[in-house]
Amino acid sequence: MEHLSSRTRYEWLAQLNTEYSPRKAYRRTSIIGTIGPKTNSVEKINLLRKAGLAIVRMNFSHGSYEYHQSVVDNAKQAEKVQDGRPLAVALDTKGPEIRTGNTTNDADIPIAAGTEMNITTNDKYATSSDDKNMYVDYKNITKVIEKGRIIYVDDGVLSFEVLDIVDGQTVRVRCLNDGKISSKKGVNLPKTDVDLPALSEKDKNDLRFGVKNGVDMVFASFIRRADDVKAIREVLGEEGKDIQIISKIENQQGVNNFDEILALTDGIMVARGDLGIEIPPAQVFIAQKMMIAKCNIAGKPAICATQMLESMTYNPRPTRAEVSDVGNAVLDGADCVMLSGETAKGNYPIESVSMMHETCLIAELAIPYVSTYNELKTLAARPVSTSENCAMSAVSASLEQNAGAILVLTTSGNTARLISKYRPVCPIIMVTRNSRASRYSHLYRGVYPFLFPSAKPDYEQTNWQKNVDARLTWGISQAISLGVLSKGDVVVCVQGWRGGMGHTNTMRIVPAEEDLGLSAE
């Protein structure tokens, strides 16, 4: 019960032991991995799962529908042929973007610092950009840009200062560094609010593909306002109503409107790639901490992404700075951490997931769980719902009793999410009959979802409490088999008073035994 001996964060950190290894391979933080050419097979996906992968990501900025269909099919087959927890599938949209046109013959054209030129929306330069006129496909750029602003091209490889707005199609700029003008490069307009639609036609078609194929969550790129989340939910429609929307915050506009986005979205991704171009890189650190903290207070999942173990794309070991970056994301409160090129195109995808697993496992030791629980409880908006009150009480009991696990019976996964919000030391064993909830609940830190194999019975013919006890004992056996619970441990159980969603109101404390300790009563 070491966590109870330290009342403050500093007391906990001061007694950390660098030689201590966790007793169980119990990792609370979920790992997301992008599937690419190096990992798109049933065998490779299962190797990634064995190393610790919980969520498969498809990047719709690249690849055909045929390719993405193969990823979905391989992920589902991987789950069938290898025992283990459910595997979630995420669709990452391309999102609204601004790109340059083509140069003549797609040649790379050198440009020197100090060169003055035009950035234009005139279609006659769409396939003939050069060092005098560079086409961009955002028609309203002259309406939103201002003199003195910076325009970045190709992830900031080229930067231009705006000198003047010449007319409705032309912006006069000065190049700030040596580089090359190339075809179809991304364009960023930092500190400029753009009025691009939330979804392109491609995005809408991609979302319909996701609904058809039963994806569990959407990583929605370049979310700038709450209305963008509404637009995505509208396209997902009734058939996709249970798909979780994770809003990617990638520019200043999204940061400025964060509170209204958080109120509507199911979760947040701190997408540090474009964010680090749209705002000064040093400020990304502050934005990350702010957004994750607000997610923690709201009880919504936060994902930290981009360049987390970037050097492992081509090297078998990460840099110390990368390992610290992953560890600090865990300490900030991220529910999930994500790998991109490391698993999509890298030479060491399995090693990358293993390194992520080891880093998260150790970093979680540095969290002062009692003071974290007390802070989050104090910050909860009153009055809280009955389900959240049960979640608070379950975490409190788990701390006081040094419980081996909290076991929750849930239909939608909402109660598991609320328990996760209060960051218990022990694992949260979630038992559900809802297959999609069993997959998307990987988004919640510390939750180990299990899909109960039996259908819901007719409770006029079946005793309700006996069925509840059967699910509890089944969940305990699954947790013991997984190695995150030991026989005889104290288990805090959270359940409803009857079936269905919204009825969670009961907490029980039982031993991890086949009879739940009932034979001794």
Side-chain angles (χ1 to χ4, degrees), residues 60 85 91 114 119 155 194 227 264 266 288 294 312 338 345 359 370 395 436 451 472 488 499-500 513 515:
F60 272 68
R85 289 180 295 147
L91 186 160
I119 289 179
D155 290 337
V194 299
D227 285 345
L264 283 185
D266 296 307
Q288 174 176 317
K294 286 187 173 182
M312 287 194 75
M338 193 175 94
K345 63 179 182 180
T359 304
V370 173
V395 175
R436 174 166 276 157
L451 181 64
L472 293 177
E513 304 286 354
D515 62 356

Side-chain angles (χ1 to χ4, degrees), residues 87-107:
L87 178 66
V89 176
L91 186 160
D92 197 322
T93 65
K94 187 177 183 181
E97 62 178 4
I98 306 170
R99 288 197 173 269
T100 64
N102 294 84
T103 59
T104 304
N105 299 322
D106 289 328

Side-chain angles (χ1 to χ4, degrees), residues 42 54 88 115-116 149 181 205 263 290 313 329 335 359 379 497:
V42 172
T115 301
E116 293 189 12
R149 293 276 172 87
I181 295 173
N205 290 331
M290 176 273 288
T313 307
D335 294 79
T359 304
L379 291 169
W497 64 280

Side-chain angles (χ1 to χ4, degrees), residues 12-13 16-29 323 326-328 330-331 354-367 369:
W12 180 255
L13 293 177
L16 291 177
N17 180 357
T18 58
E19 295 182 353
Y20 176 77
S21 295
R23 184 171 60 90
K24 299 171 182 172
Y26 159 46
R27 173 174 41 79
R28 301 162 180 84
T29 312
V323 172
V326 174
N328 278 311
V330 172
L331 293 183
S354 296
M355 179 57 68
M356 190 74 95
H357 165 78
E358 292 294 335
T359 304
C360 292
L361 191 63
I362 298 298
E364 289 162 1
L365 295 174
I367 297 170
Y369 289 96

Side-chain angles (χ1 to χ4, degrees), residues 311-317 342-343 346-353:
S311 68
M312 287 194 75
T313 307
Y314 302 111
N315 296 304
R317 289 177 61 81
E342 301 96 328
T343 53
N347 294 333
Y348 302 95
I350 312 302
E351 293 85 348
S352 296
V353 174

